[in-house]
Amino acid sequence: APSIDAPANDGRYFLMREILSTGTCEPGALVELEVSGHSKNVRVIGKNWYVGDIFHDYFEFGASRQFRARQRVNGSEFSDWSEPVTVTFDLTAPLIVFPMSGSNHPVGGLFMSGVCDEDATVEVLAEDGASLGHAVVKGTTWVYYREWTKGLKHVRVKQTYREYTSRLSEVHEFIIR
């Protein structure tokens, strides 16, 4: 059976992003890649095979998909299938870039910012899950402004893309003095 070098087993990938699948095979082989029951012939150059833009229509957030490959050389029967590779498609939590965790800031207005998926909606939450409000998103950057009172602040963020919502980010702490 041919090998699958990419994607990595137990890998996590973003939905709607091109996935390049590659591997090695016998020179001149016809390689068939199957992703959860949907087959596709791939391009072979020497001992390497590859295909990009794989089966976007069959993926959904949180779903796992199994990749496997087989080959046929000089009109022979197909080989056994390769060991399966399983990947999951996730909507990851957005990142908080500013303020830095553990930093100190004066009472009053403070902008928070971070990174998210393009066209996502980002919500800022207190540690207990109470919504503090929605950020403004431009491209893959989100910005949120709030007038803060004194004290240690524990915040988290999550994003929604289409109808899918990510898990919550790690708790981010900063101090308003």
Side-chain angles (χ1 to χ4, degrees), residues 41-107:
N41 288 327
V42 302
R43 181 158 169 96
V44 176
I45 298 176
K47 294 185 192 178
N48 299 303
W49 65 266
Y50 69 94
V51 62
D53 197 21
I54 299 174
F55 308 106
H56 287 298
D57 295 341
Y58 306 116
F59 299 149
E60 56 190 58
F61 287 123
S64 293
R65 296 294 184 249
Q66 191 174 77
F67 288 61
R68 62 184 190 161
R70 64 183 182 171
Q71 66 183 338
R72 182 168 64 190
V73 181
N74 297 327
S76 67
E77 295 294 317
F78 272 104
S79 68
D80 291 335
W81 289 102
S82 65
E83 288 296 315
V85 170
T86 302
V87 300
T88 303
F89 296 88
D90 264 344
L91 181 60
T92 60
L95 299 175
I96 300 172
V97 176
F98 186 84
M100 292 179 59
S101 193
S103 60
N104 290 291
H105 303 276
V107 168

Side-chain angles (χ1 to χ4, degrees), residues 27-48:
L30 170 67
V31 176
E32 179 183 14
L33 178 66
E34 181 185 89
V35 180
S36 294
H38 300 279
S39 294
K40 185 169 188 165
N41 288 327
V42 302
R43 181 158 169 96
V44 176
I45 298 176
K47 294 185 192 178
N48 299 303

